[in-house]
Amino acid sequence: EESGGGARKERGAEGEGKGKDAHGHGVGGDDHKSSFMQSTFNMANILMGVGMLGLPYVLKSAGWIGGTITTIGFCLVTWRTSYYLGRELNGDPRPVSLFDNHTPSKTQTPDSKTSNGSHSAANPDTHILQRMRKPITSFPGIAREAFGDNGCICLSAVLYFELFSCLSIFFVSLGDHLHALFPSISQSKHMTIAAGVLIVPSAVLRTPKLLSYLSAVGTIATVAVVSAVVLSALVMFLLVAKAEHDFVGGDVEVVGGNERDFTLYSSKGLPLALGIVAYCFSGHAIVPSIYSSMARPQDFERMINVTYGMVLACCLLVGISGYYMFGNDVEDQITLSLEHQSENGNTLMTMLTWLMILTAMSKFTLTMFPLALGFEEMLTGILPSDLAMELIDSLVKIILIVLSLAV
């Protein structure tokens, strides 16, 4: 009975701790958890963005072989490390699909007693897996387990600095794109207007489940950009095929009267190619928040498979299509090359620019989420009620927006 009572206390404390973690991470309860599709949208949105437009330049820098291998190789590395992050957060190196949300901290055998003190009547073959360690909810938690409190402080500083820097970069990107649409207004004013607009979704969308709707908009916008590039390449391929068929003996590939030169492989461009591709797949800082928000964390690895498969397909389509169209004359962003080629360049660029604005805004709110939660966790034990926490949450996000705009 004494051991049964101790077990009950242990399970109660563990459940209470989980409740606090969920609350502290802006996920409140099961009603605020994200579904498989919502988590997929969040993960895809953080990976698919403006960096994808530079992938044709990767092929220009490293060649067909070097650029393709770099893109696929870096995708495989980040895909696998996302697996490891999920398993670390789960507290066990085995696949997360083997565990459920209520896996006990100790292995339950048929002879063990249940919570009411009676013996379990389970099938003798039944065996519940035991997690090797307590589940973790954030990168700082991983650092604390691995390196202690000092390591937690160091990694938290690096992580939050990276996320804060990303917020500032998004403001610069928004200012550039809006200035391209409305050149009569200065870039700084555009950034200020964008900051005012972003306050509303940042303050209202407090959970990954709500953020997923904005992520869906950003993902669809990015897919639309990818589709525009691929369709442009397809139209050009058909035109070139028709021209070669009509012009007997023509060995020159023509695009608007200019020859296209291609590079098969270039080792000199590999460092630049790695930098651009790394920017495309830099979404690991958001992984703990997405994992913690899932209603079924055991589906995490399947969600990663779907997301990375979709993102890799989009990356290869943009890179290959853009480089095929312009060869070594491609600009550092494919949209610039499309603007120069298209007869209706202004209309095309206006559409693509608005799509990039939608993508940047959706990525901004998702990137701010773990950064704001880091500050909220410091105040969790001080605030007296959930209402106070919600008010502080909105205030923290507004302060972060103002600070990142000032930088």
Side-chain angles (χ1 to χ4, degrees), residues 270-286:
L270 283 177
L272 178 60
L274 282 170
I276 297 175
V277 174
Y279 179 74
C280 291
F281 291 99
S282 58
H284 280 53
I286 315 297

PDB file of all heavy atoms in Angstrom, residues 270-286:
ATOM      1  N   LEU A 270      30.921  25.631 -53.976  1.00  0.00           N
ATOM      2  CA  LEU A 270      30.285  24.824 -52.939  1.00  0.00           C
ATOM      3  C   LEU A 270      30.062  25.577 -51.626  1.00  0.00           C
ATOM      4  O   LEU A 270      28.989  25.435 -51.020  1.00  0.00           O
ATOM      5  CB  LEU A 270      31.106  23.560 -52.683  1.00  0.00           C
ATOM      6  CG  LEU A 270      30.970  22.450 -53.735  1.00  0.00           C
ATOM      7  CD1 LEU A 270      31.881  21.285 -53.397  1.00  0.00           C
ATOM      8  CD2 LEU A 270      29.520  21.971 -53.822  1.00  0.00           C
ATOM      9  N   PRO A 271      31.024  26.376 -51.125  1.00  0.00           N
ATOM     10  CA  PRO A 271      30.763  27.115 -49.875  1.00  0.00           C
ATOM     11  C   PRO A 271      29.542  28.029 -49.957  1.00  0.00           C
ATOM     12  O   PRO A 271      28.723  28.073 -49.037  1.00  0.00           O
ATOM     13  CB  PRO A 271      32.054  27.910 -49.651  1.00  0.00           C
ATOM     14  CG  PRO A 271      33.110  27.118 -50.352  1.00  0.00           C
ATOM     15  CD  PRO A 271      32.428  26.558 -51.558  1.00  0.00           C
ATOM     16  N   LEU A 272      29.425  28.771 -51.081  1.00  0.00           N
ATOM     17  CA  LEU A 272      28.269  29.639 -51.253  1.00  0.00           C
ATOM     18  C   LEU A 272      26.988  28.822 -51.356  1.00  0.00           C
ATOM     19  O   LEU A 272      25.953  29.177 -50.775  1.00  0.00           O
ATOM     20  CB  LEU A 272      28.446  30.505 -52.499  1.00  0.00           C
ATOM     21  CG  LEU A 272      27.289  31.443 -52.855  1.00  0.00           C
ATOM     22  CD1 LEU A 272      27.029  32.428 -51.723  1.00  0.00           C
ATOM     23  CD2 LEU A 272      27.580  32.180 -54.159  1.00  0.00           C
ATOM     24  N   ALA A 273      27.055  27.705 -52.069  1.00  0.00           N
ATOM     25  CA  ALA A 273      25.882  26.847 -52.213  1.00  0.00           C
ATOM     26  C   ALA A 273      25.442  26.296 -50.858  1.00  0.00           C
ATOM     27  O   ALA A 273      24.247  26.259 -50.547  1.00  0.00           O
ATOM     28  CB  ALA A 273      26.198  25.703 -53.181  1.00  0.00           C
ATOM     29  N   LEU A 274      26.403  25.883 -50.039  1.00  0.00           N
ATOM     30  CA  LEU A 274      26.065  25.366 -48.706  1.00  0.00           C
ATOM     31  C   LEU A 274      25.390  26.428 -47.852  1.00  0.00           C
ATOM     32  O   LEU A 274      24.447  26.140 -47.108  1.00  0.00           O
ATOM     33  CB  LEU A 274      27.328  24.866 -48.013  1.00  0.00           C
ATOM     34  CG  LEU A 274      27.854  23.496 -48.459  1.00  0.00           C
ATOM     35  CD1 LEU A 274      29.237  23.232 -47.864  1.00  0.00           C
ATOM     36  CD2 LEU A 274      26.894  22.397 -48.042  1.00  0.00           C
ATOM     37  N   GLY A 275      25.866  27.673 -47.945  1.00  0.00           N
ATOM     38  CA  GLY A 275      25.269  28.758 -47.164  1.00  0.00           C
ATOM     39  C   GLY A 275      23.820  29.015 -47.547  1.00  0.00           C
ATOM     40  O   GLY A 275      22.956  29.184 -46.676  1.00  0.00           O
ATOM     41  N   ILE A 276      23.542  29.032 -48.860  1.00  0.00           N
ATOM     42  CA  ILE A 276      22.171  29.292 -49.313  1.00  0.00           C
ATOM     43  C   ILE A 276      21.245  28.140 -48.933  1.00  0.00           C
ATOM     44  O   ILE A 276      20.123  28.352 -48.445  1.00  0.00           O
ATOM     45  CB  ILE A 276      22.153  29.519 -50.838  1.00  0.00           C
ATOM     46  CG1 ILE A 276      22.976  30.765 -51.198  1.00  0.00           C
ATOM     47  CG2 ILE A 276      20.725  29.677 -51.345  1.00  0.00           C
ATOM     48  CD1 ILE A 276      23.107  30.998 -52.686  1.00  0.00           C
ATOM     49  N   VAL A 277      21.704  26.908 -49.138  1.00  0.00           N
ATOM     50  CA  VAL A 277      20.877  25.745 -48.815  1.00  0.00           C
ATOM     51  C   VAL A 277      20.646  25.654 -47.311  1.00  0.00           C
ATOM     52  O   VAL A 277      19.545  25.310 -46.850  1.00  0.00           O
ATOM     53  CB  VAL A 277      21.534  24.459 -49.352  1.00  0.00           C
ATOM     54  CG1 VAL A 277      20.755  23.231 -48.882  1.00  0.00           C
ATOM     55  CG2 VAL A 277      21.578  24.484 -50.870  1.00  0.00           C
ATOM     56  N   ALA A 278      21.662  25.968 -46.516  1.00  0.00           N
ATOM     57  CA  ALA A 278      21.511  25.939 -45.057  1.00  0.00           C
ATOM     58  C   ALA A 278      20.440  26.916 -44.603  1.00  0.00           C
ATOM     59  O   ALA A 278      19.675  26.633 -43.664  1.00  0.00           O
ATOM     60  CB  ALA A 278      22.843  26.257 -44.386  1.00  0.00           C
ATOM     61  N   TYR A 279      20.373  28.065 -45.250  1.00  0.00           N
ATOM     62  CA  TYR A 279      19.345  29.049 -44.904  1.00  0.00           C
ATOM     63  C   TYR A 279      17.949  28.498 -45.207  1.00  0.00           C
ATOM     64  O   TYR A 279      16.994  28.759 -44.473  1.00  0.00           O
ATOM     65  CB  TYR A 279      19.583  30.342 -45.672  1.00  0.00           C
ATOM     66  CG  TYR A 279      18.559  31.410 -45.393  1.00  0.00           C
ATOM     67  CD1 TYR A 279      18.557  32.115 -44.196  1.00  0.00           C
ATOM     68  CD2 TYR A 279      17.571  31.708 -46.335  1.00  0.00           C
ATOM     69  CE1 TYR A 279      17.611  33.088 -43.938  1.00  0.00           C
ATOM     70  CE2 TYR A 279      16.622  32.689 -46.080  1.00  0.00           C
ATOM     71  CZ  TYR A 279      16.646  33.366 -44.887  1.00  0.00           C
ATOM     72  OH  TYR A 279      15.704  34.326 -44.631  1.00  0.00           O
ATOM     73  N   CYS A 280      17.832  27.720 -46.286  1.00  0.00           N
ATOM     74  CA  CYS A 280      16.526  27.164 -46.660  1.00  0.00           C
ATOM     75  C   CYS A 280      16.015  26.163 -45.622  1.00  0.00           C
ATOM     76  O   CYS A 280      14.810  26.083 -45.377  1.00  0.00           O
ATOM     77  CB  CYS A 280      16.618  26.480 -48.021  1.00  0.00           C
ATOM     78  SG  CYS A 280      16.854  27.595 -49.398  1.00  0.00           S
ATOM     79  N   PHE A 281      16.929  25.389 -45.033  1.00  0.00           N
ATOM     80  CA  PHE A 281      16.525  24.320 -44.122  1.00  0.00           C
ATOM     81  C   PHE A 281      16.777  24.664 -42.659  1.00  0.00           C
ATOM     82  O   PHE A 281      16.892  23.771 -41.816  1.00  0.00           O
ATOM     83  CB  PHE A 281      17.255  23.023 -44.483  1.00  0.00           C
ATOM     84  CG  PHE A 281      16.825  22.424 -45.791  1.00  0.00           C
ATOM     85  CD1 PHE A 281      17.566  22.620 -46.932  1.00  0.00           C
ATOM     86  CD2 PHE A 281      15.667  21.679 -45.880  1.00  0.00           C
ATOM     87  CE1 PHE A 281      17.167  22.066 -48.143  1.00  0.00           C
ATOM     88  CE2 PHE A 281      15.251  21.125 -47.076  1.00  0.00           C
ATOM     89  CZ  PHE A 281      16.012  21.327 -48.219  1.00  0.00           C
ATOM     90  N   SER A 282      16.849  25.948 -42.349  1.00  0.00           N
ATOM     91  CA  SER A 282      17.125  26.356 -40.959  1.00  0.00           C
ATOM     92  C   SER A 282      15.821  26.538 -40.185  1.00  0.00           C
ATOM     93  O   SER A 282      15.322  27.641 -40.024  1.00  0.00           O
ATOM     94  CB  SER A 282      17.923  27.671 -40.951  1.00  0.00           C
ATOM     95  OG  SER A 282      17.200  28.687 -41.630  1.00  0.00           O
ATOM     96  N   GLY A 283      15.266  25.424 -39.731  1.00  0.00           N
ATOM     97  CA  GLY A 283      14.011  25.498 -38.974  1.00  0.00           C
ATOM     98  C   GLY A 283      14.040  24.746 -37.663  1.00  0.00           C
ATOM     99  O   GLY A 283      13.003  24.564 -37.018  1.00  0.00           O
ATOM    100  N   HIS A 284      15.230  24.296 -37.243  1.00  0.00           N
ATOM    101  CA  HIS A 284      15.313  23.457 -36.052  1.00  0.00           C
ATOM    102  C   HIS A 284      14.930  24.194 -34.769  1.00  0.00           C
ATOM    103  O   HIS A 284      14.500  23.567 -33.796  1.00  0.00           O
ATOM    104  CB  HIS A 284      16.728  22.897 -35.902  1.00  0.00           C
ATOM    105  CG  HIS A 284      16.981  21.715 -36.793  1.00  0.00           C
ATOM    106  ND1 HIS A 284      16.755  21.763 -38.141  1.00  0.00           N
ATOM    107  CD2 HIS A 284      17.424  20.460 -36.531  1.00  0.00           C
ATOM    108  CE1 HIS A 284      17.055  20.589 -38.672  1.00  0.00           C
ATOM    109  NE2 HIS A 284      17.460  19.774 -37.719  1.00  0.00           N
ATOM    110  N   ALA A 285      15.078  25.503 -34.745  1.00  0.00           N
ATOM    111  CA  ALA A 285      14.765  26.250 -33.524  1.00  0.00           C
ATOM    112  C   ALA A 285      13.280  26.170 -33.173  1.00  0.00           C
ATOM    113  O   ALA A 285      12.898  26.366 -32.016  1.00  0.00           O
ATOM    114  CB  ALA A 285      15.181  27.718 -33.686  1.00  0.00           C
ATOM    115  N   ILE A 286      12.432  25.857 -34.147  1.00  0.00           N
ATOM    116  CA  ILE A 286      10.991  25.799 -33.920  1.00  0.00           C
ATOM    117  C   ILE A 286      10.523  24.381 -33.619  1.00  0.00           C
ATOM    118  O   ILE A 286       9.396  24.167 -33.177  1.00  0.00           O
ATOM    119  CB  ILE A 286      10.238  26.354 -35.156  1.00  0.00           C
ATOM    120  CG1 ILE A 286      10.880  27.639 -35.638  1.00  0.00           C
ATOM    121  CG2 ILE A 286       8.779  26.638 -34.828  1.00  0.00           C
ATOM    122  CD1 ILE A 286      10.831  28.776 -34.642  1.00  0.00           C
TER     123      ILE A 286
END
